């Protein structure tokens, strides 16, 4: 049985209080999170599984970007399988954080074209995307003890399965994040500098241990990727003591950590931007090993004439490659990570 929404009239998100929910509950709570310039009200659904026994508050969301579907479906399915009598603490699942972007199958907001993952901390009376950042940050994320943000490559890119975290100054938080990322799993466990505006940078400001995950994307959701995200959430809950059972403590394949901000490692959009508009013809695929200077692909015109050859900036492995091949200047084409042997 799936519980029904609390009400047709959505309450303001400032009224959300995870602590005040009685134990042994499974609820869907709908809240108003912002209003658009045309007056349209937008809401957010918080799925709550409050365990019989006391424990931490663990928040997980998908749909920070509106063209990423693996996280939303995994969180919806996780909610259906979790049994409050077997859970310690409180699981908060937000399948879709950014409904205005999801509604138009877009990375950015419907009214303001803003990227929610560049907008935190947002503002209460700002654009709709800024309202979402502010409302979510101040009223939901702030209440969490642990946090995970499930992304994917979205409609225009293709990525490996990875879990990542920001290399924060607080050593205790950093250690917890490493262990959270290991527990969640992935073919790459990746610690990188923390960039402003993200959900996980807001979590860092609050002192909340946080990870993010990435997976295949291409504008759909493969069953294997949804299942791996569900397994990741379950393993993370085991690590946090919310569920019984084993979880990974070692990387399955690759581990890398780099806190060097100057290298911009982990900033996926800036690694190999397209030098011009055209058709990108890739010469590499995910996990390929490349050497510095090796061609990643060509940008060609309609006749196949080469505008530019894009070369790898470093030796390493491909973890992201362009999927939608008609590109504009500065569109991300590939990400190469070194040190994955
Ligand atoms: Zn994303």
């Amino acid at each position: 049985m799936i519980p029904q929404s609390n009400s047709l009239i959505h309450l303001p998100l400032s009224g959300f209080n995870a602590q005040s929910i009685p134990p042994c509950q499974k609820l869907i709570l709908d809240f108003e999170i912002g209003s658009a310039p045309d007056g349209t009200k937008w809401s957010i659904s918080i799925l709550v599984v409050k365990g019989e026994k006391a424990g931490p508050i663990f928040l997980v969301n998908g749909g920070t970007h509106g063209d990423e579907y693996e996280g939303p479906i995994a969180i919806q399915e996780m909610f259906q399988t979790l049994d409050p009598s077997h859970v310690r603490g409180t699981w908060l699942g937000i399948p879709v954080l950014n409904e205005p972007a999801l509604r138009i199958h877009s990375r950015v907001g419907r009214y303001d074209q803003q990227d929610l993952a560049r907008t935190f901390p947002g503002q209460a009376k700002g654009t709709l995307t800024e309202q979402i950042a502010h409302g979510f940050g101040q009223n939901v994320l702030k209440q969490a003890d642990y946090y995970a943000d499930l992304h994917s490559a979205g409609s225009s890119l293709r990525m490996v399965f990875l879990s990542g975290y920001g290399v924060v100054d607080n050593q205790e938080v950093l250690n917890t994040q490493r262990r959270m990322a290991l527990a969640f799993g992935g073919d790459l466990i990746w610690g990188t500098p923390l960039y402003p505006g993200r959900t996980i940078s807001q979590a860092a400001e609050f002192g909340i241990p946080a990870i993010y995950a990435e997976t295949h994307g291409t504008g759909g959701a493969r069953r294997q990727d949804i299942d791996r995200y569900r397994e990741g959430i379950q393993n993370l809950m085991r690590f946090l003591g919310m569920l019984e059972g084993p979880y990974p403590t070692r990387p399955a394949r690759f581990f890398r950590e780099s806190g060097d901000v100057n290298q911009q490692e982990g900033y996926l959009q800036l690694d190999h931007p397209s030098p011009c508009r055209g058709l990108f013809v890739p010469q590499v695929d995910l996990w390929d090993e490349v050497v510095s200077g090796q061609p990643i692909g060509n940008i060609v015109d309609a006749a196949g004439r080469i505008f530019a050859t894009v070369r790898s900036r470093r030796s390493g492995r491909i973890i992201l490659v362009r999927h939608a091949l008609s590109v504009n200047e500065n569109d991300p084409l590939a990400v190469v990570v070194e040190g994955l042997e």
Side-chain angles (χ1 to χ4, degrees):
M1 247 301 269
I2 299 301
Q4 295 304 301
S5 165
N6 54 332
S7 168
L8 290 174
I9 303 160
H10 296 169
L11 301 167
L13 191 56
S14 55
F16 176 66
N17 183 348
Q19 299 284 2
S20 70
I21 298 164
C24 220
Q25 298 272 335
K26 207 164 166 175
L27 302 165
I28 298 175
L29 302 176
D30 293 313
F31 293 97
E32 189 183 314
I33 195 163
S35 50
D38 64 6
T40 313
K41 305 282 188 195
W42 289 85
S43 65
I44 187 172
S45 296
I46 306 181
L47 314 183
V48 182
V49 180
K50 184 130 184 184
E52 213 165 63
K53 301 196 179 88
I57 297 173
F58 166 45
L59 168 66
V60 56
N61 77 266
T64 298
H65 294 125
D67 61 345
E68 303 172 4
Y69 305 104
E70 295 92 334
I73 298 170
I75 292 168
Q76 290 167 359
E77 292 184 0
M78 197 67 201
F79 178 64
Q80 302 194 20
T81 59
L82 281 173
D83 177 351
S85 61
H86 294 149
V87 172
R88 279 177 195 272
T90 307
W91 181 85
L92 303 176
I94 299 178
V96 178
L97 181 58
N98 193 354
E99 177 108 35
L102 185 106
R103 197 71 70 82
I104 55 165
H105 181 66
S106 168
R107 179 179 172 86
V108 296
R110 168 178 181 155
Y111 304 92
D112 46 48
Q113 284 72 52
Q114 279 176 287
D115 183 335
L116 180 56
R118 306 288 179 273
T119 304
F120 281 84
Q123 44 185 331
K125 300 211 182 298
T127 62
L128 182 55
T129 301
E130 288 164 350
Q131 292 172 52
I132 293 171
H134 183 267
F136 169 73
Q138 297 300 318
N139 301 304
V140 190
L141 178 58
K142 209 173 198 171
Q143 298 186 40
D145 298 310
Y146 303 95
Y147 172 62
D149 186 3
L150 307 185
H151 288 254
S152 86
S155 53
S156 58
L157 306 169
R158 194 163 74 239
M159 270 185 94
V160 303
F161 174 35
L162 70 86
S163 58
Y165 54 90
V167 178
V168 295
D169 292 334
N170 183 321
Q171 286 301 309
E172 196 183 324
V173 171
L174 177 58
N175 266 322
T176 305
Q177 292 183 157
R178 282 187 189 118
R179 297 179 66 200
M180 286 170 69
L182 285 170
F184 189 90
D187 294 316
L188 170 61
I189 312 295
W190 199 20
T192 62
L194 198 56
Y195 303 101
R198 323 278 165 125
T199 55
I200 60 167
S201 37
Q202 178 69 83
E205 295 218 349
F206 292 150
I208 300 165
I211 63 163
Y212 71 97
E214 298 282 1
T215 190
H216 192 75
T218 69
R222 302 184 304 180
R223 174 41 60 188
Q224 70 209 69
D225 300 320
I226 298 166
D227 288 348
R228 289 206 285 186
Y229 266 13
R230 276 175 57 184
E231 199 182 333
I233 297 169
Q234 178 175 277
N235 285 335
L236 196 43
M237 292 177 76
R238 289 172 169 180
F239 164 67
L240 298 174
M242 300 175 75
L243 291 173
E244 297 291 328
Y247 55 87
T249 56
R250 306 177 69 83
R253 198 165 173 194
F254 297 115
F255 175 90
R256 178 171 165 81
E257 186 170 290
S258 161
D260 184 356
V261 181
N262 296 325
Q263 292 298 318
Q264 294 181 318
E265 183 165 333
Y267 203 131
L268 306 176
Q269 281 70 30
L270 299 184
D271 201 49
H272 290 86
S274 182
C276 57
R277 195 165 64 150
L279 179 68
F280 176 55
V281 183
Q283 293 176 21
V284 293
D285 207 344
L286 295 177
W287 292 123
D288 281 359
E289 284 189 88
V290 293
V291 295
S292 183
Q294 179 180 329
I296 284 173
N298 289 323
I299 311 287
V300 302
D301 72 0
R305 288 170 290 220
I306 296 174
F307 287 139
T309 297
V310 180
R311 295 175 185 279
S312 182
R313 292 173 168 179
R314 67 189 75 83
S315 298
R317 282 182 191 268
I318 304 283
I319 65 142
L320 174 154
V321 71
R322 186 103 199 151
H323 176 71
L325 300 180
S326 173
V327 296
N328 286 310
E329 187 179 350
N330 289 328
D331 278 349
L333 301 179
V335 172
V336 179
V337 178
E338 57 188 350
L340 307 184
E341 274 109 38

